[in-house]
Amino acid sequence: MAAQRDSLHAAVARVVDSGWFVLGPETEAFEREFAEYVGVSECVGVGNGTDALELALIAIGVTAGDMVVTVANAGMYTTAAALKVGARPLFVDVDPDDLLVDVTALGATLDRNGSEIRAVVVTHLYGQLVDLAPVVGLCAPLGIPVVEDCAQAIGARRDGRSAGASGTVSAFSFYPTKNLGALGDGGAVVTDDLAVAARVRQLRQYGWDRKYHSVVSGGRNSRLDEIQAAVLRLRLPATVAGNAIRRSILARYRDALPAGPRRMVLAALDDSHSGHLAVLRTPTREADRAHLAAAGVTTDIHYPVPDHHQPVLAGRSTVSLPVTEAAAGEVLTLPCFPQLTDNEVVRVCASLRALA
């Protein structure tokens, strides 16, 4: 942040001097630039990542009572968006190796409930980019849209395509801790579907087709403001280098762990991982967390309570997700961001090597 102080001040001053603060030239320019970065034709800036998910669901036709398939280990964000629309979240388990959606479990769920499912939301968790080809292969014959939740995967690429470029529509968050972070909340919906993009543009501003004429149900005030758009334009070019630094930190953590199967860092082996979070899996999480804290290493848990066990869904979800539930008791997030100094990374690595 300190290194960008002058350029950030200049970006904010440019907006202040323009006198245009909402849906102006900075937002329009960012939408063009971000669409090009992702590799799609359309980008619509919105207020935050959760709004992006919700508006994407509405724009593809999800309504009250529809089923939305998702995973339950991703912090409740997609589930909250589905509930806000009035949809019913239908959870599938995750793969034990990377904690991403289990495609076999997804296929079985589609076979059982296909006629009631209106959308499948795929979460690129921790920065890992899900292989969308088999997911789309399952959904396309059934006419089920695939929504990508790219909040943690900005800049991740697989087979020449970026996160957000393979689904029907995709949602991004620009919360300050994201790989591309604003100075507050912000989000975007991206797509190659012109009709979906047009619907999101209406939804983000009261459902208007023209000023003060609301024609689309589900509209609200969810606009990316000009200051945040200017900040994001400034920071967007740095995401490639920033992601590479994050991946290098993850590699150092992985190499520092004592040999053996007891613990593992979810690895960032190539650019299909944005390096958003450095996640350690350990069966002795609380003891390991205390050990790291004693060495001055702050940790977090992403995420401690699976969605299907959240109080808000008490009595409404009885599904069993053994891999998801086991992982919720084992995941521990280590520091990982481009501004970490080498000395700080060395301290974390030393603490990992000393784990009993």
PDB file of all heavy atoms in Angstrom, residues 2-37:
ATOM      1  N   ALA A   2       1.891   1.286   0.877  1.00  0.00           N
ATOM      2  CA  ALA A   2       2.741   2.469   0.981  1.00  0.00           C
ATOM      3  C   ALA A   2       3.445   2.745  -0.343  1.00  0.00           C
ATOM      4  O   ALA A   2       3.602   3.906  -0.739  1.00  0.00           O
ATOM      5  CB  ALA A   2       3.751   2.284   2.107  1.00  0.00           C
ATOM      6  N   ALA A   3       3.866   1.679  -1.046  1.00  0.00           N
ATOM      7  CA  ALA A   3       4.577   1.852  -2.307  1.00  0.00           C
ATOM      8  C   ALA A   3       3.689   2.484  -3.369  1.00  0.00           C
ATOM      9  O   ALA A   3       4.186   3.107  -4.316  1.00  0.00           O
ATOM     10  CB  ALA A   3       5.108   0.504  -2.791  1.00  0.00           C
ATOM     11  N   GLN A   4       2.378   2.340  -3.233  1.00  0.00           N
ATOM     12  CA  GLN A   4       1.440   2.890  -4.214  1.00  0.00           C
ATOM     13  C   GLN A   4       0.805   4.191  -3.765  1.00  0.00           C
ATOM     14  O   GLN A   4      -0.085   4.707  -4.447  1.00  0.00           O
ATOM     15  CB  GLN A   4       0.327   1.877  -4.500  1.00  0.00           C
ATOM     16  CG  GLN A   4       0.728   0.693  -5.355  1.00  0.00           C
ATOM     17  CD  GLN A   4      -0.488  -0.093  -5.808  1.00  0.00           C
ATOM     18  OE1 GLN A   4      -1.453  -0.249  -5.070  1.00  0.00           O
ATOM     19  NE2 GLN A   4      -0.460  -0.575  -7.040  1.00  0.00           N
ATOM     20  N   ARG A   5       1.269   4.718  -2.648  1.00  0.00           N
ATOM     21  CA  ARG A   5       0.568   5.874  -2.076  1.00  0.00           C
ATOM     22  C   ARG A   5       0.398   7.006  -3.088  1.00  0.00           C
ATOM     23  O   ARG A   5      -0.709   7.527  -3.281  1.00  0.00           O
ATOM     24  CB  ARG A   5       1.331   6.371  -0.850  1.00  0.00           C
ATOM     25  CG  ARG A   5       0.619   7.509  -0.112  1.00  0.00           C
ATOM     26  CD  ARG A   5       1.448   7.986   1.072  1.00  0.00           C
ATOM     27  NE  ARG A   5       1.686   6.897   2.004  1.00  0.00           N
ATOM     28  CZ  ARG A   5       0.841   6.561   2.984  1.00  0.00           C
ATOM     29  NH1 ARG A   5      -0.299   7.219   3.120  1.00  0.00           N
ATOM     30  NH2 ARG A   5       1.135   5.577   3.790  1.00  0.00           N
ATOM     31  N   ASP A   6       1.454   7.405  -3.743  1.00  0.00           N
ATOM     32  CA  ASP A   6       1.380   8.539  -4.660  1.00  0.00           C
ATOM     33  C   ASP A   6       0.457   8.249  -5.835  1.00  0.00           C
ATOM     34  O   ASP A   6      -0.364   9.093  -6.224  1.00  0.00           O
ATOM     35  CB  ASP A   6       2.773   8.913  -5.157  1.00  0.00           C
ATOM     36  CG  ASP A   6       3.647   9.515  -4.068  1.00  0.00           C
ATOM     37  OD1 ASP A   6       3.103   9.919  -3.019  1.00  0.00           O
ATOM     38  OD2 ASP A   6       4.877   9.576  -4.266  1.00  0.00           O
ATOM     39  N   SER A   7       0.581   7.052  -6.410  1.00  0.00           N
ATOM     40  CA  SER A   7      -0.253   6.728  -7.567  1.00  0.00           C
ATOM     41  C   SER A   7      -1.716   6.562  -7.172  1.00  0.00           C
ATOM     42  O   SER A   7      -2.623   6.925  -7.936  1.00  0.00           O
ATOM     43  CB  SER A   7       0.265   5.472  -8.271  1.00  0.00           C
ATOM     44  OG  SER A   7       0.421   4.404  -7.367  1.00  0.00           O
ATOM     45  N   LEU A   8      -1.964   6.032  -5.967  1.00  0.00           N
ATOM     46  CA  LEU A   8      -3.339   5.936  -5.488  1.00  0.00           C
ATOM     47  C   LEU A   8      -3.936   7.321  -5.274  1.00  0.00           C
ATOM     48  O   LEU A   8      -5.093   7.579  -5.645  1.00  0.00           O
ATOM     49  CB  LEU A   8      -3.396   5.125  -4.192  1.00  0.00           C
ATOM     50  CG  LEU A   8      -3.225   3.615  -4.325  1.00  0.00           C
ATOM     51  CD1 LEU A   8      -3.025   2.982  -2.958  1.00  0.00           C
ATOM     52  CD2 LEU A   8      -4.420   2.989  -5.031  1.00  0.00           C
ATOM     53  N   HIS A   9      -3.150   8.204  -4.659  1.00  0.00           N
ATOM     54  CA  HIS A   9      -3.643   9.569  -4.463  1.00  0.00           C
ATOM     55  C   HIS A   9      -3.962  10.222  -5.804  1.00  0.00           C
ATOM     56  O   HIS A   9      -4.971  10.927  -5.940  1.00  0.00           O
ATOM     57  CB  HIS A   9      -2.590  10.389  -3.719  1.00  0.00           C
ATOM     58  CG  HIS A   9      -2.531  10.087  -2.255  1.00  0.00           C
ATOM     59  ND1 HIS A   9      -1.660  10.724  -1.398  1.00  0.00           N
ATOM     60  CD2 HIS A   9      -3.222   9.227  -1.485  1.00  0.00           C
ATOM     61  CE1 HIS A   9      -1.813  10.253  -0.171  1.00  0.00           C
ATOM     62  NE2 HIS A   9      -2.764   9.349  -0.206  1.00  0.00           N
ATOM     63  N   ALA A  10      -3.113   9.982  -6.802  1.00  0.00           N
ATOM     64  CA  ALA A  10      -3.346  10.583  -8.118  1.00  0.00           C
ATOM     65  C   ALA A  10      -4.618  10.022  -8.757  1.00  0.00           C
ATOM     66  O   ALA A  10      -5.387  10.766  -9.383  1.00  0.00           O
ATOM     67  CB  ALA A  10      -2.140  10.329  -9.019  1.00  0.00           C
ATOM     68  N   ALA A  11      -4.844   8.719  -8.603  1.00  0.00           N
ATOM     69  CA  ALA A  11      -6.049   8.110  -9.179  1.00  0.00           C
ATOM     70  C   ALA A  11      -7.307   8.668  -8.533  1.00  0.00           C
ATOM     71  O   ALA A  11      -8.288   8.988  -9.222  1.00  0.00           O
ATOM     72  CB  ALA A  11      -5.988   6.591  -9.015  1.00  0.00           C
ATOM     73  N   VAL A  12      -7.284   8.787  -7.200  1.00  0.00           N
ATOM     74  CA  VAL A  12      -8.447   9.327  -6.496  1.00  0.00           C
ATOM     75  C   VAL A  12      -8.654  10.785  -6.866  1.00  0.00           C
ATOM     76  O   VAL A  12      -9.786  11.236  -7.105  1.00  0.00           O
ATOM     77  CB  VAL A  12      -8.273   9.156  -4.976  1.00  0.00           C
ATOM     78  CG1 VAL A  12      -9.392   9.879  -4.227  1.00  0.00           C
ATOM     79  CG2 VAL A  12      -8.259   7.679  -4.596  1.00  0.00           C
ATOM     80  N   ALA A  13      -7.568  11.553  -6.940  1.00  0.00           N
ATOM     81  CA  ALA A  13      -7.677  12.970  -7.298  1.00  0.00           C
ATOM     82  C   ALA A  13      -8.256  13.137  -8.694  1.00  0.00           C
ATOM     83  O   ALA A  13      -9.040  14.068  -8.951  1.00  0.00           O
ATOM     84  CB  ALA A  13      -6.303  13.636  -7.208  1.00  0.00           C
ATOM     85  N   ARG A  14      -7.893  12.235  -9.610  1.00  0.00           N
ATOM     86  CA  ARG A  14      -8.426  12.305 -10.968  1.00  0.00           C
ATOM     87  C   ARG A  14      -9.945  12.190 -10.954  1.00  0.00           C
ATOM     88  O   ARG A  14     -10.647  12.912 -11.677  1.00  0.00           O
ATOM     89  CB  ARG A  14      -7.805  11.183 -11.807  1.00  0.00           C
ATOM     90  CG  ARG A  14      -8.202  11.202 -13.264  1.00  0.00           C
ATOM     91  CD  ARG A  14      -7.416  10.175 -14.082  1.00  0.00           C
ATOM     92  NE  ARG A  14      -7.832   8.797 -13.817  1.00  0.00           N
ATOM     93  CZ  ARG A  14      -7.043   7.863 -13.331  1.00  0.00           C
ATOM     94  NH1 ARG A  14      -5.783   8.136 -13.010  1.00  0.00           N
ATOM     95  NH2 ARG A  14      -7.491   6.625 -13.158  1.00  0.00           N
ATOM     96  N   VAL A  15     -10.463  11.290 -10.106  1.00  0.00           N
ATOM     97  CA  VAL A  15     -11.911  11.130 -10.010  1.00  0.00           C
ATOM     98  C   VAL A  15     -12.540  12.356  -9.350  1.00  0.00           C
ATOM     99  O   VAL A  15     -13.560  12.880  -9.825  1.00  0.00           O
ATOM    100  CB  VAL A  15     -12.259   9.858  -9.219  1.00  0.00           C
ATOM    101  CG1 VAL A  15     -13.765   9.753  -8.999  1.00  0.00           C
ATOM    102  CG2 VAL A  15     -11.760   8.618  -9.955  1.00  0.00           C
ATOM    103  N   VAL A  16     -11.941  12.813  -8.269  1.00  0.00           N
ATOM    104  CA  VAL A  16     -12.483  13.981  -7.577  1.00  0.00           C
ATOM    105  C   VAL A  16     -12.530  15.179  -8.513  1.00  0.00           C
ATOM    106  O   VAL A  16     -13.530  15.914  -8.587  1.00  0.00           O
ATOM    107  CB  VAL A  16     -11.646  14.297  -6.319  1.00  0.00           C
ATOM    108  CG1 VAL A  16     -12.077  15.616  -5.698  1.00  0.00           C
ATOM    109  CG2 VAL A  16     -11.774  13.165  -5.293  1.00  0.00           C
ATOM    110  N   ASP A  17     -11.458  15.388  -9.260  1.00  0.00           N
ATOM    111  CA  ASP A  17     -11.405  16.527 -10.172  1.00  0.00           C
ATOM    112  C   ASP A  17     -12.413  16.405 -11.307  1.00  0.00           C
ATOM    113  O   ASP A  17     -12.901  17.415 -11.837  1.00  0.00           O
ATOM    114  CB  ASP A  17      -9.996  16.670 -10.753  1.00  0.00           C
ATOM    115  CG  ASP A  17      -8.966  17.103  -9.721  1.00  0.00           C
ATOM    116  OD1 ASP A  17      -9.379  17.579  -8.634  1.00  0.00           O
ATOM    117  OD2 ASP A  17      -7.756  16.951  -9.982  1.00  0.00           O
ATOM    118  N   SER A  18     -12.759  15.182 -11.669  1.00  0.00           N
ATOM    119  CA  SER A  18     -13.711  14.991 -12.767  1.00  0.00           C
ATOM    120  C   SER A  18     -15.131  15.353 -12.359  1.00  0.00           C
ATOM    121  O   SER A  18     -15.956  15.709 -13.203  1.00  0.00           O
ATOM    122  CB  SER A  18     -13.684  13.542 -13.245  1.00  0.00           C
ATOM    123  OG  SER A  18     -14.384  12.683 -12.339  1.00  0.00           O
ATOM    124  N   GLY A  19     -15.444  15.206 -11.051  1.00  0.00           N
ATOM    125  CA  GLY A  19     -16.801  15.449 -10.578  1.00  0.00           C
ATOM    126  C   GLY A  19     -17.781  14.356 -10.940  1.00  0.00           C
ATOM    127  O   GLY A  19     -18.992  14.506 -10.751  1.00  0.00           O
ATOM    128  N   TRP A  20     -17.280  13.221 -11.434  1.00  0.00           N
ATOM    129  CA  TRP A  20     -18.148  12.109 -11.852  1.00  0.00           C
ATOM    130  C   TRP A  20     -17.804  10.916 -10.961  1.00  0.00           C
ATOM    131  O   TRP A  20     -16.714  10.369 -11.059  1.00  0.00           O
ATOM    132  CB  TRP A  20     -17.898  11.768 -13.314  1.00  0.00           C
ATOM    133  CG  TRP A  20     -19.008  10.976 -13.958  1.00  0.00           C
ATOM    134  CD1 TRP A  20     -19.885  10.137 -13.355  1.00  0.00           C
ATOM    135  CD2 TRP A  20     -19.343  10.971 -15.345  1.00  0.00           C
ATOM    136  NE1 TRP A  20     -20.755   9.593 -14.260  1.00  0.00           N
ATOM    137  CE2 TRP A  20     -20.443  10.092 -15.501  1.00  0.00           C
ATOM    138  CE3 TRP A  20     -18.828  11.606 -16.461  1.00  0.00           C
ATOM    139  CZ2 TRP A  20     -21.030   9.843 -16.737  1.00  0.00           C
ATOM    140  CZ3 TRP A  20     -19.419  11.358 -17.685  1.00  0.00           C
ATOM    141  CH2 TRP A  20     -20.517  10.487 -17.827  1.00  0.00           C
ATOM    142  N   PHE A  21     -18.751  10.460 -10.129  1.00  0.00           N
ATOM    143  CA  PHE A  21     -18.435   9.513  -9.073  1.00  0.00           C
ATOM    144  C   PHE A  21     -19.101   8.145  -9.214  1.00  0.00           C
ATOM    145  O   PHE A  21     -18.697   7.193  -8.541  1.00  0.00           O
ATOM    146  CB  PHE A  21     -18.792  10.112  -7.706  1.00  0.00           C
ATOM    147  CG  PHE A  21     -18.100  11.427  -7.468  1.00  0.00           C
ATOM    148  CD1 PHE A  21     -18.830  12.601  -7.362  1.00  0.00           C
ATOM    149  CD2 PHE A  21     -16.722  11.493  -7.389  1.00  0.00           C
ATOM    150  CE1 PHE A  21     -18.189  13.815  -7.173  1.00  0.00           C
ATOM    151  CE2 PHE A  21     -16.066  12.699  -7.194  1.00  0.00           C
ATOM    152  CZ  PHE A  21     -16.798  13.868  -7.087  1.00  0.00           C
ATOM    153  N   VAL A  22     -20.126   8.021 -10.043  1.00  0.00           N
ATOM    154  CA  VAL A  22     -20.830   6.752 -10.207  1.00  0.00           C
ATOM    155  C   VAL A  22     -21.100   6.515 -11.693  1.00  0.00           C
ATOM    156  O   VAL A  22     -21.598   7.421 -12.387  1.00  0.00           O
ATOM    157  CB  VAL A  22     -22.163   6.739  -9.423  1.00  0.00           C
ATOM    158  CG1 VAL A  22     -22.922   5.445  -9.679  1.00  0.00           C
ATOM    159  CG2 VAL A  22     -21.917   6.918  -7.935  1.00  0.00           C
ATOM    160  N   LEU A  23     -20.776   5.297 -12.175  1.00  0.00           N
ATOM    161  CA  LEU A  23     -21.045   4.883 -13.549  1.00  0.00           C
ATOM    162  C   LEU A  23     -20.569   5.918 -14.565  1.00  0.00           C
ATOM    163  O   LEU A  23     -21.321   6.387 -15.416  1.00  0.00           O
ATOM    164  CB  LEU A  23     -22.539   4.595 -13.735  1.00  0.00           C
ATOM    165  CG  LEU A  23     -23.092   3.397 -12.962  1.00  0.00           C
ATOM    166  CD1 LEU A  23     -24.540   3.140 -13.339  1.00  0.00           C
ATOM    167  CD2 LEU A  23     -22.264   2.140 -13.171  1.00  0.00           C
ATOM    168  N   GLY A  24     -19.287   6.243 -14.443  1.00  0.00           N
ATOM    169  CA  GLY A  24     -18.674   7.197 -15.349  1.00  0.00           C
ATOM    170  C   GLY A  24     -17.549   6.590 -16.157  1.00  0.00           C
ATOM    171  O   GLY A  24     -17.476   5.367 -16.334  1.00  0.00           O
ATOM    172  N   PRO A  25     -16.638   7.397 -16.637  1.00  0.00           N
ATOM    173  CA  PRO A  25     -15.587   6.924 -17.547  1.00  0.00           C
ATOM    174  C   PRO A  25     -14.599   5.952 -16.909  1.00  0.00           C
ATOM    175  O   PRO A  25     -14.061   5.089 -17.606  1.00  0.00           O
ATOM    176  CB  PRO A  25     -14.889   8.214 -17.993  1.00  0.00           C
ATOM    177  CG  PRO A  25     -15.262   9.240 -16.963  1.00  0.00           C
ATOM    178  CD  PRO A  25     -16.626   8.867 -16.493  1.00  0.00           C
ATOM    179  N   GLU A  26     -14.334   6.084 -15.595  1.00  0.00           N
ATOM    180  CA  GLU A  26     -13.412   5.148 -14.955  1.00  0.00           C
ATOM    181  C   GLU A  26     -14.010   3.737 -14.913  1.00  0.00           C
ATOM    182  O   GLU A  26     -13.326   2.749 -15.189  1.00  0.00           O
ATOM    183  CB  GLU A  26     -13.061   5.602 -13.536  1.00  0.00           C
ATOM    184  CG  GLU A  26     -12.305   6.910 -13.454  1.00  0.00           C
ATOM    185  CD  GLU A  26     -10.868   6.806 -13.945  1.00  0.00           C
ATOM    186  OE1 GLU A  26     -10.363   5.671 -14.097  1.00  0.00           O
ATOM    187  OE2 GLU A  26     -10.251   7.867 -14.172  1.00  0.00           O
ATOM    188  N   THR A  27     -15.280   3.647 -14.572  1.00  0.00           N
ATOM    189  CA  THR A  27     -15.937   2.345 -14.544  1.00  0.00           C
ATOM    190  C   THR A  27     -16.011   1.750 -15.942  1.00  0.00           C
ATOM    191  O   THR A  27     -15.728   0.558 -16.140  1.00  0.00           O
ATOM    192  CB  THR A  27     -17.351   2.467 -13.937  1.00  0.00           C
ATOM    193  OG1 THR A  27     -17.240   2.953 -12.592  1.00  0.00           O
ATOM    194  CG2 THR A  27     -18.058   1.121 -13.920  1.00  0.00           C
ATOM    195  N   GLU A  28     -16.366   2.551 -16.912  1.00  0.00           N
ATOM    196  CA  GLU A  28     -16.444   2.047 -18.281  1.00  0.00           C
ATOM    197  C   GLU A  28     -15.079   1.550 -18.758  1.00  0.00           C
ATOM    198  O   GLU A  28     -14.974   0.491 -19.399  1.00  0.00           O
ATOM    199  CB  GLU A  28     -16.956   3.148 -19.214  1.00  0.00           C
ATOM    200  CG  GLU A  28     -18.420   3.509 -18.972  1.00  0.00           C
ATOM    201  CD  GLU A  28     -18.864   4.691 -19.820  1.00  0.00           C
ATOM    202  OE1 GLU A  28     -18.022   5.214 -20.596  1.00  0.00           O
ATOM    203  OE2 GLU A  28     -20.031   5.097 -19.720  1.00  0.00           O
ATOM    204  N   ALA A  29     -14.016   2.296 -18.440  1.00  0.00           N
ATOM    205  CA  ALA A  29     -12.677   1.883 -18.854  1.00  0.00           C
ATOM    206  C   ALA A  29     -12.258   0.607 -18.133  1.00  0.00           C
ATOM    207  O   ALA A  29     -11.672  -0.304 -18.742  1.00  0.00           O
ATOM    208  CB  ALA A  29     -11.677   3.006 -18.583  1.00  0.00           C
ATOM    209  N   PHE A  30     -12.539   0.531 -16.834  1.00  0.00           N
ATOM    210  CA  PHE A  30     -12.173  -0.680 -16.107  1.00  0.00           C
ATOM    211  C   PHE A  30     -12.926  -1.885 -16.650  1.00  0.00           C
ATOM    212  O   PHE A  30     -12.344  -2.969 -16.801  1.00  0.00           O
ATOM    213  CB  PHE A  30     -12.450  -0.535 -14.611  1.00  0.00           C
ATOM    214  CG  PHE A  30     -12.246  -1.835 -13.875  1.00  0.00           C
ATOM    215  CD1 PHE A  30     -10.976  -2.351 -13.674  1.00  0.00           C
ATOM    216  CD2 PHE A  30     -13.342  -2.576 -13.427  1.00  0.00           C
ATOM    217  CE1 PHE A  30     -10.790  -3.566 -13.040  1.00  0.00           C
ATOM    218  CE2 PHE A  30     -13.158  -3.792 -12.788  1.00  0.00           C
ATOM    219  CZ  PHE A  30     -11.875  -4.288 -12.594  1.00  0.00           C
ATOM    220  N   GLU A  31     -14.204  -1.716 -16.943  1.00  0.00           N
ATOM    221  CA  GLU A  31     -14.978  -2.842 -17.482  1.00  0.00           C
ATOM    222  C   GLU A  31     -14.375  -3.340 -18.789  1.00  0.00           C
ATOM    223  O   GLU A  31     -14.267  -4.559 -19.008  1.00  0.00           O
ATOM    224  CB  GLU A  31     -16.438  -2.423 -17.668  1.00  0.00           C
ATOM    225  CG  GLU A  31     -17.180  -2.249 -16.345  1.00  0.00           C
ATOM    226  CD  GLU A  31     -18.578  -1.709 -16.509  1.00  0.00           C
ATOM    227  OE1 GLU A  31     -18.878  -1.109 -17.572  1.00  0.00           O
ATOM    228  OE2 GLU A  31     -19.396  -1.879 -15.576  1.00  0.00           O
ATOM    229  N   ARG A  32     -13.959  -2.436 -19.655  1.00  0.00           N
ATOM    230  CA  ARG A  32     -13.309  -2.853 -20.909  1.00  0.00           C
ATOM    231  C   ARG A  32     -11.991  -3.575 -20.630  1.00  0.00           C
ATOM    232  O   ARG A  32     -11.706  -4.635 -21.202  1.00  0.00           O
ATOM    233  CB  ARG A  32     -13.046  -1.640 -21.800  1.00  0.00           C
ATOM    234  CG  ARG A  32     -14.274  -0.999 -22.409  1.00  0.00           C
ATOM    235  CD  ARG A  32     -13.885  -0.038 -23.519  1.00  0.00           C
ATOM    236  NE  ARG A  32     -12.974   1.011 -23.059  1.00  0.00           N
ATOM    237  CZ  ARG A  32     -13.376   2.189 -22.551  1.00  0.00           C
ATOM    238  NH1 ARG A  32     -14.675   2.452 -22.440  1.00  0.00           N
ATOM    239  NH2 ARG A  32     -12.497   3.084 -22.173  1.00  0.00           N
ATOM    240  N   GLU A  33     -11.185  -2.996 -19.750  1.00  0.00           N
ATOM    241  CA  GLU A  33      -9.859  -3.545 -19.468  1.00  0.00           C
ATOM    242  C   GLU A  33      -9.947  -4.897 -18.758  1.00  0.00           C
ATOM    243  O   GLU A  33      -9.167  -5.817 -19.056  1.00  0.00           O
ATOM    244  CB  GLU A  33      -9.056  -2.541 -18.641  1.00  0.00           C
ATOM    245  CG  GLU A  33      -8.700  -1.284 -19.421  1.00  0.00           C
ATOM    246  CD  GLU A  33      -8.342  -0.104 -18.533  1.00  0.00           C
ATOM    247  OE1 GLU A  33      -8.193  -0.295 -17.295  1.00  0.00           O
ATOM    248  OE2 GLU A  33      -8.205   1.019 -19.065  1.00  0.00           O
ATOM    249  N   PHE A  34     -10.899  -5.039 -17.857  1.00  0.00           N
ATOM    250  CA  PHE A  34     -11.009  -6.297 -17.133  1.00  0.00           C
ATOM    251  C   PHE A  34     -11.585  -7.392 -18.020  1.00  0.00           C
ATOM    252  O   PHE A  34     -11.167  -8.554 -17.939  1.00  0.00           O
ATOM    253  CB  PHE A  34     -11.851  -6.127 -15.865  1.00  0.00           C
ATOM    254  CG  PHE A  34     -11.733  -7.290 -14.913  1.00  0.00           C
ATOM    255  CD1 PHE A  34     -10.531  -7.567 -14.283  1.00  0.00           C
ATOM    256  CD2 PHE A  34     -12.812  -8.116 -14.659  1.00  0.00           C
ATOM    257  CE1 PHE A  34     -10.400  -8.640 -13.415  1.00  0.00           C
ATOM    258  CE2 PHE A  34     -12.702  -9.194 -13.788  1.00  0.00           C
ATOM    259  CZ  PHE A  34     -11.491  -9.463 -13.167  1.00  0.00           C
ATOM    260  N   ALA A  35     -12.534  -7.037 -18.885  1.00  0.00           N
ATOM    261  CA  ALA A  35     -13.058  -8.020 -19.832  1.00  0.00           C
ATOM    262  C   ALA A  35     -11.933  -8.547 -20.719  1.00  0.00           C
ATOM    263  O   ALA A  35     -11.827  -9.760 -20.968  1.00  0.00           O
ATOM    264  CB  ALA A  35     -14.161  -7.405 -20.684  1.00  0.00           C
ATOM    265  N   GLU A  36     -11.070  -7.656 -21.187  1.00  0.00           N
ATOM    266  CA  GLU A  36      -9.940  -8.077 -22.012  1.00  0.00           C
ATOM    267  C   GLU A  36      -8.981  -8.953 -21.206  1.00  0.00           C
ATOM    268  O   GLU A  36      -8.466  -9.954 -21.701  1.00  0.00           O
ATOM    269  CB  GLU A  36      -9.205  -6.848 -22.555  1.00  0.00           C
ATOM    270  CG  GLU A  36      -8.026  -7.200 -23.448  1.00  0.00           C
ATOM    271  CD  GLU A  36      -7.327  -5.966 -24.008  1.00  0.00           C
ATOM    272  OE1 GLU A  36      -7.756  -4.840 -23.702  1.00  0.00           O
ATOM    273  OE2 GLU A  36      -6.339  -6.143 -24.736  1.00  0.00           O
ATOM    274  N   TYR A  37      -8.745  -8.595 -19.958  1.00  0.00           N
ATOM    275  CA  TYR A  37      -7.852  -9.364 -19.089  1.00  0.00           C
ATOM    276  C   TYR A  37      -8.366 -10.790 -18.894  1.00  0.00           C
ATOM    277  O   TYR A  37      -7.599 -11.753 -18.960  1.00  0.00           O
ATOM    278  CB  TYR A  37      -7.751  -8.643 -17.745  1.00  0.00           C
ATOM    279  CG  TYR A  37      -6.934  -9.339 -16.678  1.00  0.00           C
ATOM    280  CD1 TYR A  37      -5.562  -9.185 -16.610  1.00  0.00           C
ATOM    281  CD2 TYR A  37      -7.553 -10.143 -15.715  1.00  0.00           C
ATOM    282  CE1 TYR A  37      -4.814  -9.802 -15.620  1.00  0.00           C
ATOM    283  CE2 TYR A  37      -6.819 -10.769 -14.727  1.00  0.00           C
ATOM    284  CZ  TYR A  37      -5.452 -10.603 -14.687  1.00  0.00           C
ATOM    285  OH  TYR A  37      -4.721 -11.224 -13.703  1.00  0.00           O
TER     286      TYR A  37
END
